[in-house]
Amino acid sequence: GCSEVVSRAVPSLRNSRAHWNRTLTRLQVETPSPALNHMLNGWLTYQDLSCRLWGRTAFYQSGGAFGFRDQLQDAAALVYLQPELTRAQILLHSSRQFLEGDVQHWWHPPLGQGLRTKFADDLLWLPWFTAYYLQVSGDRAILDERANYLTTREVEAGEAEIFTRPEVTAKSGDLYEHCCKAIDRSLVRGAHGLPLFGCGDWNDGMNRVGIGGRGESVWMGFFLYTVLGDFLPVCELRGDRERVARYTEHRDLLRTALNADGWDGRWYRRGWYDDGTVLGSHTGDECRIDALVQAWAVMSKAAPPERIE
């Protein structure tokens, strides 16, 4: 009866509380802000794990799908708390990469239906997070873990995305190869020497800026500059001298372009539309100063010291 249910439920509740207490207290942060401490020491980790990784739900995103960039970022926040979970997340995402190097924007388990798109940033979160995980964990063995590639028709000119159920191919590659494929596909430069915008560059709402294949993203320049810098030690670890030289050269070209045409005079621009119209400039009516670009100019250290200041 009721007492029997309660007798089973009480130990389960006790075990659940003990599990969350162990998980949420592994890392403690102390700042001058009590409110920030309260959020960081438990609540954000609980939300990250239970809502984002297990439930895969949030405001405006309640479908239960895996997002390529989304759940990699969520897992990055847990690298000190549950490194085995972050390792598994990296390997899962490596299995959602196409032969050509791009990745599924999101997909539904267990069959893998999802979107193939022209998003510029998605694929680069794999090498970024892999390098970060290696730096924290020292787990070099993860680079040798293999995953098969996917195949489906490519997104054609004039299309932003296609919904398909890709086939899993017989061709596989180790994690290092998957990361390099993502970077190599991202080295295309536009008229101003910066990465293409595609159908979005982390800001999904800017999905028409570069849909024609000519628009460029200044933020993507800073992001790619960061990814290359973080991943170069991984290439050196593998003895991949060709990529070390090529990635270093491309990184230098990015820094030059970012600080030339990417600079508006007092701040960094956001990018260019397909027709060459600048976005994020004092000459525009909207998006005159984009905070994302200014933050990454500082975080990437690609900007000169006086501009960073």
Side-chain angles (χ1 to χ4, degrees), residues 197 201-203 206 216-220 262 267-272 278-281 287-288 290 292-294:
F197 218 113
D201 70 343
W202 199 9
N203 187 332
M206 293 184 172
E216 295 167 84
S217 168
V218 175
W219 174 78
M220 271 295 300
W267 58 79
Y268 285 94
R269 296 167 170 169
R270 187 64 176 82
W272 287 267
V278 68
L279 177 65
S281 169
C287 189
R288 295 185 66 189
D290 188 283
L292 182 67
V293 184
Q294 318 317 319

Side-chain angles (χ1 to χ4, degrees), residues 12-301:
S12 296
L13 178 60
R14 187 182 301 118
N15 291 338
S16 178
R17 285 174 171 167
H19 163 76
W20 281 113
N21 285 334
R22 286 194 304 270
T23 301
L24 303 182
T25 57
R26 286 177 184 169
L27 178 66
Q28 293 292 291
V29 179
E30 184 177 349
T31 78
S33 168
L36 184 59
N37 294 341
H38 187 65
M39 290 293 291
L40 289 172
N41 293 321
W43 284 111
L44 291 181
T45 304
Y46 175 81
Q47 180 182 355
D48 188 11
L49 184 55
S50 63
C51 166
R52 297 295 303 155
L53 285 172
W54 290 348
R56 296 188 294 281
T57 185
F59 288 127
Y60 307 111
Q61 189 184 33
S62 300
F66 280 102
F68 196 90
R69 73 159 86 99
D70 303 60
Q71 272 66 49
L72 277 180
Q73 293 170 2
D74 297 329
L78 299 171
V79 68
Y80 292 100
L81 300 171
Q82 292 193 319
E84 69 284 353
L85 184 152
T86 59
R87 188 185 203 271
Q89 199 71 40
I90 291 171
L91 297 178
L92 172 65
H93 285 243
S94 70
S95 72
R96 309 315 299 176
Q97 184 180 41
F98 295 102
L99 284 166
E100 294 79 8
D102 58 319
V103 299
Q104 283 187 296
H105 183 59
W106 55 257
W107 72 93
H108 279 286
L111 300 180
Q113 301 100 320
L115 285 186
R116 189 173 194 178
T117 73
K118 294 180 180 178
F119 272 98
D121 70 301
D122 283 346
L123 65 173
L124 286 174
W125 293 104
L126 182 65
W128 173 81
F129 188 26
T130 298
Y132 175 55
Y133 171 78
L134 279 172
Q135 183 183 12
V136 173
S137 69
D139 176 18
R140 297 183 180 183
I142 193 174
L143 295 173
D144 296 315
E145 297 281 0
R146 302 187 71 82
N148 291 71
Y149 293 99
L150 303 177
T151 187
T152 191
R153 78 169 180 87
E154 292 204 59
V155 185
E156 299 176 357
E159 291 182 315
E161 60 191 31
I162 54 172
F163 180 83
T164 67
R165 177 182 169 186
E167 296 179 18
V168 179
T169 72
K171 179 174 173 52
S172 69
D174 59 29
L175 178 60
Y176 178 72
E177 180 182 282
H178 281 271
C179 290
C180 290
K181 271 183 173 285
I183 293 175
D184 291 344
R185 187 177 173 94
S186 303
L187 299 184
V188 179
R189 300 198 304 149
H192 299 91
L194 293 170
L196 299 180
F197 218 113
C199 71
D201 70 343
W202 199 9
N203 187 332
D204 294 6
M206 293 184 172
N207 61 325
R208 305 298 299 175
V209 176
I211 194 63
R214 295 176 301 279
E216 295 167 84
S217 168
V218 175
W219 174 78
M220 271 295 300
F222 286 120
F223 180 45
L224 180 54
Y225 181 89
T226 301
V227 171
L228 290 172
D230 290 350
F231 202 74
L232 275 170
V234 184
C235 296
E236 292 168 354
L237 181 66
R238 303 287 284 197
D240 194 344
R241 295 180 180 178
E242 185 275 331
R243 280 197 169 89
V244 169
R246 182 156 51 89
Y247 291 173
T248 300
E249 180 183 13
H250 194 89
R251 197 165 183 255
D252 291 341
L253 292 172
L254 279 177
R255 184 175 60 246
T256 299
L258 285 164
N259 289 302
D261 289 335
W263 181 248
D264 197 60
R266 292 176 58 196
W267 58 79
Y268 285 94
R269 296 167 170 169
R270 187 64 176 82
W272 287 267
Y273 287 89
D274 286 317
D275 66 0
T277 302
V278 68
L279 177 65
S281 169
H282 70 282
T283 60
D285 295 329
E286 298 182 8
C287 189
R288 295 185 66 189
I289 305 177
D290 188 283
L292 182 67
V293 184
Q294 318 317 319
W296 277 75
V298 175
M299 291 163 56
S300 68
K301 299 181 176 63

Side-chain angles (χ1 to χ4, degrees), residues 4-16:
E4 183 181 352
V5 172
V6 171
S7 67
R8 290 201 302 265
V10 170
S12 296
L13 178 60
R14 187 182 301 118
N15 291 338
S16 178

